[in-house]
Amino acid sequence: MVSVSRRSLLALGAALPLLGRLDWAVAAPPPAKADKVRLNYNESPYGASRAAREAMQQGIASSGRYPYDRMYALAGLFAQQQGIAEEQVAVFAGSMAALRYAVLAFTSEPRGLVMATPSYEVPRQAAQANKAAVKEVSLNADHAHDIPAMLAADPQAGMLYLCNPNNPTGTVTPVDAIREALTNKPKGSVLVVDEAYIDFADVPSVVSWVKDHDDLLVLRTFSKIYGMAGARLGLAVGHPALLERLAVFGGDNVPAGTTLLGGLASLEDVKLLPQRKALNNQLRNETVAWLQGRGFTCTASQANCFMIDVKQPAEQVIDKLAAQGVLIGRVFKSWPQWVRVTVGNKREMARFREVFAQFDTTKQL
């Protein structure tokens, strides 16, 4: 196994050259104008908190220094809050980088990737670039990960990927099912649980499990509930030996000191998470109830997005809403008649309903 220093474990890069082009991002239209309602990328409508913005502004003055001390501080604070060791936390410029590195580290031509569909596409794209086989397993009737089917999909799998809550559906997989996956997965494989949306949900995190399992990697991000998507900051949590396997793909390309200060301020703000969770859930539930009242089926989301069965090709609906200035999520091939909607602020969700209501639910949008 490659030996790396503590500094190398934390100083991991954001970019991975030539690793699986993100076709949906490349094909995306130019940035929307200010008057557009952007409910398409699961971003926070509120942005970084006031405390985080102030901390990030203060960090500009020290941008001539390398940010390692702040990386250690961020890893240490998160570890303290979660009751784990600091050595079990690595910092990345976004959790997407950590996820890509994990696919490279844990899959190969003989040892493939098992994941759900629909789910976050990056693992599949990274595995294909790594020439690893990909087995995609449909969600079960509750729109959760079908763990028994995933365990049976590839007895030689090198990595199982669970996004919980799942993107794009926002649905959760029960903790007992995740434990089943960890217990019964193929020998020598690694379970990667992506908890990008966990702070919106009423289910426990599995971060603490890394204390007892050296084959579990958990990913967290500051992009969603903390509103720092553009600042690029994420964490990988696992046994130091797993983090070493990621480190060989990263160098010293780390989040800027300003970003790290924003992350620290976010973790220190004890009121931020409950406030944003409550507001998000209220607006999401109101919108879902409104849609259901008009005859549409929605996923039972516990995230900042949900899906709607629009009973026709999703692409048509996306285009027609965009023509009215409301941008919603991309098409997922396994659910061609469902659209994903990000939960925006009160004004944005009101506008979404206004545009959606222009169409008779008894007819095609």
Side-chain angles (χ1 to χ4, degrees):
M1 181 173 291
V2 178
S3 177
V4 294
S5 67
R6 170 64 178 157
R7 167 171 163 154
S8 296
L9 278 176
L10 285 177
L12 295 173
L16 186 59
L18 304 180
L19 176 61
R21 195 181 82 169
L22 291 178
D23 291 329
W24 57 265
V26 173
K33 296 180 180 179
D35 59 342
K36 299 286 187 181
V37 174
R38 301 177 64 177
L39 307 178
N40 52 339
Y41 286 143
N42 291 355
E43 300 156 323
S44 168
Y46 312 110
S49 69
R50 177 179 297 179
R53 294 196 303 270
E54 291 175 353
M56 293 168 77
Q57 290 174 339
Q58 293 172 5
I60 295 173
S62 58
S63 59
R65 301 289 182 181
Y66 289 116
Y68 301 117
D69 288 347
R70 291 166 182 172
M71 295 181 69
Y72 305 145
L74 181 69
L77 178 57
F78 181 82
Q80 178 185 357
Q81 291 177 343
Q82 299 294 325
I84 59 177
E86 183 178 344
E87 291 72 23
Q88 294 173 316
V89 183
V91 181
F92 292 83
S95 61
M96 183 191 296
L99 179 53
R100 287 175 165 179
Y101 293 153
V103 174
L104 285 187
F106 308 140
T107 71
S108 60
E109 288 193 52
R111 304 215 64 175
L113 168 72
V114 177
M115 61 180 291
T117 182
S119 193
Y120 189 40
E121 306 99 325
V122 165
R124 171 173 48 79
Q125 294 164 346
Q128 291 171 340
N130 204 30
K131 298 182 179 180
V134 180
K135 299 292 186 180
E136 294 185 272
V137 177
S138 297
L139 299 175
N140 64 22
D142 296 323
H143 299 154
H145 289 74
D146 188 338
I147 299 301
M150 292 180 72
L151 291 173
D154 183 358
Q156 300 301 317
M159 173 176 155
L160 276 68
Y161 172 73
L162 275 67
C163 186
N164 196 45
N166 186 45
N167 175 17
T169 58
T171 48
V172 299
T173 297
V175 170
D176 288 346
I178 299 176
R179 194 178 299 279
E180 178 187 356
L182 186 59
T183 301
N184 299 318
K185 64 181 178 57
K187 185 177 180 180
S189 65
V190 175
L191 176 65
V192 176
V193 180
D194 187 344
E195 293 190 337
Y197 303 91
I198 195 70
D199 291 313
F200 295 107
D202 294 322
V203 294
S205 166
V206 299
V207 160
S208 64
W209 293 10
V210 303
K211 293 185 291 186
D212 303 313
H213 297 278
D214 61 3
D215 52 358
L216 170 67
L217 186 75
V218 183
L219 305 179
R220 301 292 286 268
T221 185
F222 288 79
S223 294
K224 305 307 176 183
I225 203 165
Y226 288 118
M228 294 178 59
R232 312 309 301 137
L233 183 60
L235 304 173
V237 186
H239 192 281
L242 285 188
L243 301 182
E244 286 186 4
R245 293 176 66 181
L246 302 189
V248 298
F249 298 103
D252 287 343
N253 296 317
V254 298
T258 52
T259 291
L260 292 164
L261 286 176
L264 279 165
S266 296
L267 290 181
E268 291 169 347
D269 188 346
V270 296
K271 296 181 179 180
L272 183 62
L273 287 185
Q275 289 174 344
R276 290 196 169 181
K277 176 181 177 179
L279 182 56
N280 173 84
N281 293 359
Q282 176 187 348
L283 293 171
R284 181 196 64 220
N285 295 343
E286 287 177 354
T287 305
V288 167
W290 181 86
L291 287 161
Q292 290 173 336
R294 301 180 70 85
F296 290 93
T297 299
C298 301
T299 54
S301 172
Q302 291 194 39
N304 70 333
C305 64
F306 58 91
M307 296 193 79
I308 313 166
D309 181 356
V310 291
K311 311 170 188 177
Q312 64 175 289
E315 207 165 280
Q316 297 178 11
V317 177
I318 293 170
D319 289 345
K320 290 181 179 180
L321 291 178
Q324 297 293 320
V326 176
L327 308 181
I328 61 174
R330 58 195 177 277
V331 178
F332 289 80
K333 292 182 180 180
S334 58
W335 283 22
Q337 293 193 335
W338 292 72
V339 298
R340 186 191 70 185
V341 179
T342 300
V343 180
N345 60 30
K346 185 174 182 179
R347 178 190 61 82
E348 291 169 333
M349 299 316 290
R351 177 59 180 163
F352 166 78
R353 293 192 298 270
E354 179 185 5
V355 172
F356 206 91
Q358 294 178 13
F359 306 99
D360 187 341
T361 60
T362 64
K363 302 176 182 178
Q364 287 192 338
L365 287 175

